[in-house]
């Protein structure tokens, strides 16, 4: 056999071997699914490959007309991207990558960045399956990120491409969910235990925080809680804002009954170390297979505080509720005992947000240098694997940033498109390690254009919060680490003469909240010294101080080049874009299939030459 023939044989073998990663072809099972409309007419399946940064969608709609799927923003449909397709009466198909010029006018993109994998129609459904890059170089395409994505779905009753608002829906989804529940182990010896408030009469007040103390399961040997889910009565779902389960120190003296968590009796606010938590839009959550909440050892809590936040804005009378949290636990032990660390802005009484703000940033600093002293034992490196973000209605974005030795290390978690109605526990794609001495900064972004008075930190949904809960292992005794700015400094920077913090907060009502003063207040809050409050499960509290470090924005990843596309200025650098995978079929449009081994071995430019060589012979 000649060298030329051997080379051709090797190349053909290389072309046949896909790269590492999950190649999602036209028949691959898509793990995630959801209805996108209240009537369950539009059903979406999807999956993705983090390595190749390709996401695949399958949209099934109860129609024999056209269908469309894309990404939109919180504020306007103009600029949304939309992939549309359908089957004509003669059996021919049409498929196009488009965008919305205004609220209802479609225009085809110059760059076609979606690859069709299948388009069928029967007597009931039209089904369209396609893939697209997380980030193309087409400015008309919205990026698929680890933020909340507002998925836009629409359809027509025939093949006329015209948007009808009655058949157009937007649903917030966290598309890049790295762990699917089906991938996790469910022990055969699973035991269920419910923590709930029984037949509680919800007050007619706008906001109620109801607390009670309940025992955890009594077990003769160590067990692990590995999953939790909310227990909600169907007709009360819209009134339950959040449910938190706090571990109590075993030396705590606890009250009985149900009362206001933060009212006249301070005993009902005891216990501050979160075990699990649920908020609006969340569902069940199962911990990774190597971690669980420990039960049954002398170091484990025996009692918890169950906190339920009710929002009864219609002041409905006579509504009874029995909501709570269902725990799943097992005697099959996991490798690590997990804990939850609460970070953010200390909610009350210093937090304020001016009215009429297009954008206002709040910061809460955590300094971990005292963790070991307060823990009463050495604190191993904290391995963060999940998180829950929480603000109220004015919140637009959150992030937690880590610093070590004065330098920014990483953004642990973030959501630049936060949706109050989708608050769920999310897994990180990696384990983020926090070492003693690291600093953690939470930044919350608010918008109050619809408000004409100050918004203060507080328990009501119309008040605000700025919290991030980090799920981590191995467990320690630290329950929270939160910060707030020196409000006296802030007031003085705004021209107010004050002598203490209470006067400082009251002085905020005297400020004329012009755009200039809003920016001045934000700057003063950021530059003021932060008071950091650290708390343990046994209610030990320590204070320290610090300064807000700068946040260096993360650079965007490379976009995927495609034919006919416009490359953005920031992408016109050698590292600013990556070439699309070569189309093996001879198609002029970009093919988003996984790269074959040959592309990895030779690079795509060489691969194109090799393919041409194969066509003409060696």
């Amino acid at each position: 056999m000649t060298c030329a023939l051997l080379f051709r044989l090797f190349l053909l073998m290389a072309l046949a071997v896909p790269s590492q990663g999950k190649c999602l072809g036209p028949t691959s099972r898509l793990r995630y699914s959801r209805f996108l409309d209240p009537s369950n007419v539009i059903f979406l399946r999807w999956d993705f490959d983090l390595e190749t940064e390709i996401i695949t969608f399958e949209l099934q709609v109860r129609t024999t007309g056209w269908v469309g799927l894309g990404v939109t923003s919180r504020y306007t449909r103009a600029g949304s991207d939309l992939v549309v397709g359908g089957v004509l009466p003669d059996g021919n198909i049409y498929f196009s990558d488009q965008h919305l010029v205004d609220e209802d006018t479609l225009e085809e993109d110059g760059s076609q960045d979606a690859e069709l994998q299948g388009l069928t129609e029967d007597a009931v459904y039209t089904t369209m399956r396609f893939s697209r890059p997380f980030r193309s170089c087409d400015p008309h395409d919205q990026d698929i990120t680890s933020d909340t994505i507002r998925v836009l779905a629409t359809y027509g009753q025939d093949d006329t491409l015209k948007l009808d608002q009655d058949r157009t829906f937007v649903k917030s989804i966290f598309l890049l969910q790295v762990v699917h529940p089906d991938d996790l182990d469910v022990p055969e010896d699973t035991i269920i235990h419910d923590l709930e408030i029984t037949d509680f009469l919800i007050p007619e007040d706008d906001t109620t925080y109801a607390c009670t103390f309940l025992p955890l399961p009594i077990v003769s040997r160590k067990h692990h809680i590995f999953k939790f889910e909310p227990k909600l009565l169907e007709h009360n779902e819209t009134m339950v804002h959040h449910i938190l389960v706090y571990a109590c120190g075993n030396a705590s003296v606890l009250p009985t009954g149900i009362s206001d968590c933060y009212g006249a009796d301070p005993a009902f606010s005891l216990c501050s170390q979160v075990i699990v938590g649920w908020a609006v839009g969340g569902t069940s959550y199962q911990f990774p297979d190597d971690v669980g909440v420990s039960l049954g050892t002398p170091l484990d809590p025996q009692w918890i505080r169950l906190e339920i936040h009710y929002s009864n804005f219609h002041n409905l009378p006579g509504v009874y509720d029995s909501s709570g949290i269902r725990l799943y636990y097992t005697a099959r032990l996991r490798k690590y005992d997990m804990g939850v660390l609460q970070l953010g802005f200390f909610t009350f009484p210093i937090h304020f947000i001016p009215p009429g703000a297009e954008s206002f940033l709040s910061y809460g600093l955590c300094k971990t240098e005292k963790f070991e002293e307060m823990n009463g034992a050495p604190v191993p490196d904290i391995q963060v694997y999940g998180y829950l973000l929480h603000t109220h209605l004015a919140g637009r974005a959150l992030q937690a940033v880590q610093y070590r030795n004065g330098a920014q290390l990483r953004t642990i978690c973030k959501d630049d498109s936060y949706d109050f109605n989708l608050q769920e526990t999310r897994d990180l794609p990696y384990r983020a390690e926090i070492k003693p001495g690291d600093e953690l900064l939470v930044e919350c972004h608010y918008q109050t254009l619809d408000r004409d008075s100050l918004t203060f930190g507080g328990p009501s949904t119309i008040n605000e919060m700025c919290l991030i809960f980090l799920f981590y292992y191995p467990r320690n005794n630290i329950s929270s680490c939160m910060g707030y700015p020196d409000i006296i400094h802030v007031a003085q920077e705004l021209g107010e003469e004050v002598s203490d913090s209470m006067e400082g907060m009251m002085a905020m009502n005297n400020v004329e909240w012009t755009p200039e003063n809003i920016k001045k207040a934000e700057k003063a809050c950021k530059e003021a010294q932060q008071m950091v409050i650290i708390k343990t499960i046994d209610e030990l509290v320590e204070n320290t101080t610090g300064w807000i470090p700068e946040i260096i924005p993360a650079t965007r990843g490379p976009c995927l080049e495609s034919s006919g596309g416009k490359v953005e200025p920031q992408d016109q650098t050698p590292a600013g874009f990556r070439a699309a995978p070569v189309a093996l079929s001879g198609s002029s449009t970009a093919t988003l299939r996984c790269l074959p081994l040959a592309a990895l071995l030779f690079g795509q430019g060489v691969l194109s030459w090799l393919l041409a060589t194969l066509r003409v012979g060696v």
Side-chain angles (χ1 to χ4, degrees):
M1 188 178 293
T2 67
C3 291
L5 287 174
L6 280 170
F7 175 74
R8 290 190 70 184
L9 179 61
F10 168 74
L11 180 57
L12 287 169
M13 291 172 63
L15 287 169
V17 180
S19 69
Q20 295 297 311
K22 182 165 71 271
C23 293
L24 297 171
T27 60
S28 300
R29 182 179 76 90
L30 305 182
R31 295 175 298 163
Y32 304 96
S33 61
R34 196 152 308 170
F35 282 104
L36 302 183
D37 68 306
S39 302
N40 293 347
V41 170
I42 305 174
F43 187 63
L44 177 66
R45 294 184 179 90
W46 78 93
D47 210 334
F48 53 89
D49 186 342
L50 288 174
E51 186 175 327
T52 60
E53 297 188 351
I54 300 295
I55 189 165
T56 299
F57 295 106
E58 183 177 278
L59 184 69
Q60 184 180 70
V61 185
R62 200 182 307 152
T63 184
T64 54
W66 68 277
V67 298
L69 183 76
V71 178
T72 188
S73 74
R74 173 195 293 268
Y75 305 106
T76 178
R77 302 232 178 114
S80 305
D81 71 31
L82 193 68
V83 175
V84 300
V87 181
L88 295 169
D90 62 6
N92 287 318
I93 65 172
Y94 53 94
F95 176 78
S96 177
D97 183 5
Q98 305 205 8
H99 64 276
L100 282 165
V101 177
D102 51 38
E103 291 289 322
D104 53 16
T105 305
L106 281 167
E107 182 177 284
E108 188 170 75
D109 291 1
S111 172
Q112 293 295 295
D113 299 287
E115 180 187 16
L116 180 64
Q117 293 189 354
L119 188 49
T120 60
E121 180 186 297
D122 58 25
V124 180
Y125 296 105
T126 296
T127 304
M128 177 175 69
R129 180 168 172 143
F130 66 93
S131 58
R132 55 152 288 181
F134 288 3
R135 179 169 177 251
S136 78
C137 297
D138 183 354
H140 292 306
D141 289 344
Q142 303 287 332
D143 292 352
I144 303 294
T145 67
S146 58
D147 303 318
T148 296
I149 301 296
R150 286 167 173 79
V151 176
L152 173 67
T154 185
Y155 67 98
Q157 294 179 317
D158 55 29
D159 293 304
T160 304
L161 286 178
K162 181 175 176 59
L163 259 66
D164 184 332
Q165 298 305 318
D166 292 335
R167 290 189 286 272
T168 300
F169 303 90
V170 176
K171 191 173 186 69
S172 290
I173 303 177
F174 179 52
L175 289 175
L176 301 186
Q177 180 181 343
V178 293
V179 178
H180 190 280
D182 291 349
D183 301 331
L184 298 171
D185 177 52
V186 179
E188 294 179 358
D189 65 341
T190 296
I191 307 167
I192 292 175
H193 183 80
D194 291 336
L195 302 168
E196 60 189 6
I197 290 179
T198 305
D199 294 327
F200 174 69
L201 177 61
I202 302 174
E204 296 174 35
D205 302 327
D206 289 353
T207 300
T208 298
Y209 273 69
C211 276
T212 191
F213 295 88
L214 300 169
L216 285 168
I218 298 173
V219 291
S220 59
R221 59 192 176 95
K222 182 173 179 174
H223 286 60
H224 269 135
I225 299 169
F226 67 90
K227 178 182 175 180
F228 67 90
E229 64 187 19
K231 284 195 68 183
L232 302 171
L233 296 184
E234 186 174 351
H235 61 280
N236 293 344
E237 281 183 350
T238 58
M239 298 176 69
V240 180
H241 171 277
H242 76 239
I243 306 174
L244 290 173
V245 177
Y246 297 90
C248 296
N250 291 332
S252 302
V253 178
L254 306 175
T256 59
I258 303 173
S259 187
D260 187 343
C261 304
Y262 308 104
D265 187 349
F268 278 88
S269 64
L270 289 173
C271 313
S272 58
Q273 187 173 62
V274 174
I275 298 179
V276 296
W278 171 89
V280 175
T283 56
S284 65
Y285 178 71
Q286 185 167 334
F287 306 130
D289 289 339
D290 56 348
V291 301
V293 177
S294 180
L295 290 175
T297 79
L299 296 176
D300 297 329
Q302 299 172 17
W303 286 75
I304 60 93
R305 172 165 65 96
L306 179 67
E307 173 185 296
I308 303 182
H309 174 189
Y310 294 100
S311 293
N312 186 2
F313 287 116
H314 297 293
N315 308 118
L316 300 176
V319 180
Y320 287 84
D321 186 61
S322 296
S323 294
I325 291 285
R326 171 164 288 177
L327 304 177
Y328 295 78
Y329 65 101
T330 174
R332 288 176 53 188
L333 299 182
R334 273 97 191 291
K335 186 174 181 180
Y336 302 109
D337 297 340
M338 61 149 287
V340 179
L341 177 62
Q342 181 176 328
L343 305 174
F345 196 118
F346 197 77
T347 301
F348 186 80
I350 300 300
H351 198 190
F352 75 92
I353 302 155
E358 174 73 35
S359 171
F360 189 83
L361 300 176
S362 294
Y363 298 91
L365 179 66
C366 169
K367 294 168 68 76
T368 67
E369 59 193 21
K370 290 196 173 202
F371 276 19
E372 198 156 290
E373 172 191 339
M374 297 184 66
N375 189 55
V379 175
D381 293 344
I382 294 171
Q383 308 293 329
V384 180
Y385 66 84
Y387 61 97
L388 172 65
L389 311 176
H390 183 66
T391 76
H392 290 171
L393 296 171
R396 296 294 181 267
L398 302 88
Q399 63 174 328
V401 184
Q402 180 182 5
Y403 299 82
R404 183 172 297 159
N405 299 323
Q408 183 172 321
L409 185 63
R410 65 165 66 90
T411 298
I412 296 176
C413 57
K414 74 173 186 68
D415 191 341
D416 287 335
S417 300
Y418 175 81
D419 187 340
F420 170 82
N421 293 304
L422 185 66
Q423 301 181 53
E424 55 190 355
T425 304
R426 298 175 175 177
D427 295 289
L428 291 175
Y430 61 91
R431 305 282 168 98
E433 184 175 77
I434 300 172
K435 291 183 174 294
D438 287 356
E439 292 189 355
L440 307 170
L441 178 64
V442 172
E443 178 191 75
C444 291
H445 177 192
Y446 301 97
Q447 186 183 82
T448 57
L449 290 174
D450 58 342
R451 304 189 183 193
D452 55 12
S453 60
L454 280 165
T455 299
F456 292 103
S460 172
T461 306
I462 59 174
N463 296 138
E464 264 309 330
M465 291 186 173
C466 173
L467 302 174
I468 294 182
F469 299 88
L470 298 183
F471 289 68
Y472 73 91
Y473 65 87
R475 177 187 66 184
N476 59 54
N477 290 326
I478 308 300
S479 58
S480 63
C481 182
M482 307 173 73
Y484 64 88
D486 176 2
I487 193 64
I488 298 175
H489 168 82
V490 175
Q492 291 173 346
E493 288 296 303
L494 291 168
E496 301 292 328
E497 293 296 327
V498 299
S499 58
D500 60 37
S501 296
M502 187 59 68
E503 286 185 6
M505 283 302 294
M506 293 177 63
M508 295 301 107
N509 291 300
N510 302 331
V511 177
E512 181 184 357
W513 290 112
T514 62
E516 294 76 18
N517 279 338
I518 290 172
K519 284 301 175 188
K520 186 183 291 186
E522 180 183 274
K523 182 173 183 289
C525 287
K526 185 176 181 182
E527 294 178 349
Q529 187 177 53
Q530 282 254 323
M531 178 67 73
V532 180
I533 302 175
I534 307 166
K535 199 171 186 179
T536 71
I537 186 174
D538 296 313
E539 307 298 323
L540 176 66
V541 178
E542 287 276 355
N543 296 338
T544 186
T545 58
W547 302 92
I548 299 298
E550 287 295 325
I551 296 177
I552 302 171
T555 56
R556 297 198 302 172
C559 62
L560 187 69
E561 183 189 27
S562 53
S563 61
K566 300 176 182 177
V567 179
E568 300 171 71
Q570 60 265 45
D571 299 322
Q572 293 179 350
T573 61
F577 67 91
R578 55 194 175 95
V582 64
L584 301 182
S585 63
S587 167
S588 62
T589 59
T591 300
L592 304 177
R593 58 173 61 88
C594 294
L595 288 175
L597 178 62
L600 300 177
L601 292 175
F602 304 122
Q604 292 177 28
V606 178
L607 177 59
S608 300
W609 174 81
L610 292 172
L611 285 167
T613 303
L614 275 176
R615 294 189 188 103
V616 301
V618 178

